[in-house]
Amino acid sequence: MAPKWQELADRLAAQIRRGDFAPGQHLPHIRELVAAGEGSKATVHAAYKALEAQGLVTPSRGRGTIVRPNSPVKPIHLVGKRVVLREFTREDVDDVLAIIGDDKVTTWLSFDSRDRAQAVSMIEGAIERASQEPRTEFYLGVTKHDDDRVIGFVRIGLSGVQAGKLGYAIAAKEWGRGYATDAARTLVTYAFKELALHRITAAIGPENAASIAMAQQLGFTREGVLRDHVLTNGAWRDSVLYSVLAHEWSK
Ligand SMILES: CC(C)(COP(=O)(O)OP(=O)(O)OC[C@H]1O[C@@H](n2cnc3c(N)ncnc32)[C@H](O)[C@@H]1OP(=O)(O)O)[C@@H](O)C(=O)NCCC(=O)NCCS
């Protein structure tokens, strides 16, 4: 059984991620939780320290602990048929590194394989940008339903008028199980319904058969070739541009 402080920390972390506390808001004072029967002062203190270690709260002198200012304003948690999309946390570094540090994956992406320090800064950047108002990037971790570990990512970056650019990747050991299709379907649906986007594009390497199959299966239309679109693996690479418009989306 998990120690009492751990249970309390897990419960509070889930509440913070769900958006029950606004950024900058104080968590309850330690003595309030002690009075509410959550445990001793030491228990509550240990739980708050664990939240600090997760980057969810920052310590503040005098009055309890405040929610970290750069946590997402409204954390996103989307449940698809096969996957869950959620905000990144600093604990995802190893799982993210297994994706963006793997040449099998990055050979198809617009950047070369990254090391641990770059994985850390990728996560830090995603967390930082998730806190911006208005939010212009929706860069989310992909997990299975029954396991919170990140097996991939999906991203829509806003660009232009009611338009967004879609990107995605799944850890190589999880390929071929429909996770990317479901992740993209779930985020695109969110973008059309909740963000009122009109147009979403995906720029895909001409040889990337899996990604092209996926775009087609999701009903994207091929628009044309972007010449020398990305510099990756030491060479310029074309992309094929695919798009889908809001009124075409019925997934
Ligand atoms: C592209 C990628 C995200 C697909 O992830 P996935 O979880 O394996 O995808 P899915 O299981 O949802 O399958 C997607 C489609 O690709 C097809 N597919 C998978 N591997 C394939 C391959 N090697 N060749 C041809 N088609 C393939 C699947 O059959 C499926 O099509 P279908 O539904 O019509 O059968 C994954 O291969 C990946 O991470 N690649 C490296 C990064 C990348 O290319 N990102 C996209 C950049 S544009």
Side-chain angles (χ1 to χ4, degrees), residues 105 108-109 168-170 175-181 203-204 208-211 213-214 217:
V105 175
W108 302 109
L109 296 176
Y168 39 80
I170 295 288
W175 285 357
R177 297 177 192 171
Y179 293 139
T181 306
I204 305 176
N208 193 346
S211 187
M214 198 179 125
Q217 213 218 351

Side-chain angles (χ1 to χ4, degrees), residues 27 30 36 44 69 88 90 94 116 147 149 154 174 180 184 187 189 198 205 235:
L27 288 174
I30 288 178
V44 180
F88 284 106
R90 286 164 183 77
D94 291 332
R116 194 182 170 83
D147 184 350
R149 291 190 67 166
V154 61
E174 303 287 358
L187 187 57
T189 298
H198 175 68

Side-chain angles (χ1 to χ4, degrees), residues 213-232:
M214 198 179 125
Q216 288 170 338
Q217 213 218 351
L218 287 172
F220 281 60
T221 297
R222 186 184 189 280
E223 293 195 341
V225 175
L226 303 169
R227 297 185 303 147
D228 281 1
H229 181 229
V230 292
L231 181 60
T232 178

Side-chain angles (χ1 to χ4, degrees), residues 28-208:
H29 198 283
I30 288 178
R31 67 172 171 267
E32 286 174 42
L33 292 189
V34 173
E38 293 285 6
S40 67
K41 198 171 158 192
T43 298
V44 180
H45 184 73
Y48 278 12
K49 280 279 165 211
L51 295 176
E52 271 174 48
Q54 291 178 47
L56 291 169
V57 298
T58 55
S60 78
R61 275 190 218 131
R63 245 221 83 201
T65 307
I66 59 169
V67 176
R68 193 180 169 87
N70 71 351
S71 18
V73 178
K74 281 187 213 140
I76 295 176
H77 185 94
L78 304 175
V79 180
K81 289 187 192 129
R82 293 180 188 210
V83 296
V84 172
L85 311 184
R86 66 155 171 82
E87 305 289 353
F88 284 106
T89 77
R90 286 164 183 77
E91 284 156 30
D92 296 326
V93 172
D94 291 332
D95 297 331
V96 166
L97 187 58
I99 303 163
I100 64 171
D102 181 354
D103 291 344
K104 288 199 287 299
V105 175
T106 59
T107 189
W108 302 109
L109 296 176
S110 56
F111 55 83
D112 297 336
S113 282
R114 294 181 171 171
D115 61 21
R116 194 182 170 83
Q118 290 169 316
V120 170
S121 64
M122 191 212 103
I123 291 179
E124 297 277 350
I127 292 173
E128 169 64 31
R129 292 188 298 277
S131 72
Q132 287 170 5
E133 279 262 54
R135 185 168 181 176
T136 57
E137 184 188 76
F138 299 81
Y139 201 164
L140 300 172
V142 177
T143 77
K144 298 179 197 175
H145 277 169
D146 56 356
D147 184 350
D148 192 46
R149 291 190 67 166
V150 166
I151 57 156
F153 63 78
V154 61
R155 173 183 185 275
I156 287 181
L158 304 192
S159 72
V161 180
Q162 287 176 263
K165 294 180 180 178
L166 174 68
Y168 39 80
I170 295 288
K173 66 178 170 37
E174 303 287 358
W175 285 357
R177 297 177 192 171
Y179 293 139
T181 306
D182 189 43
R185 185 194 292 117
T186 304
L187 187 57
V188 170
T189 298
Y190 176 83
F192 283 138
K193 280 201 181 150
E194 306 296 328
L195 307 176
L197 292 199
H198 175 68
R199 169 183 159 86
I200 294 174
T201 52
I204 305 176
E207 321 268 298
N208 193 346

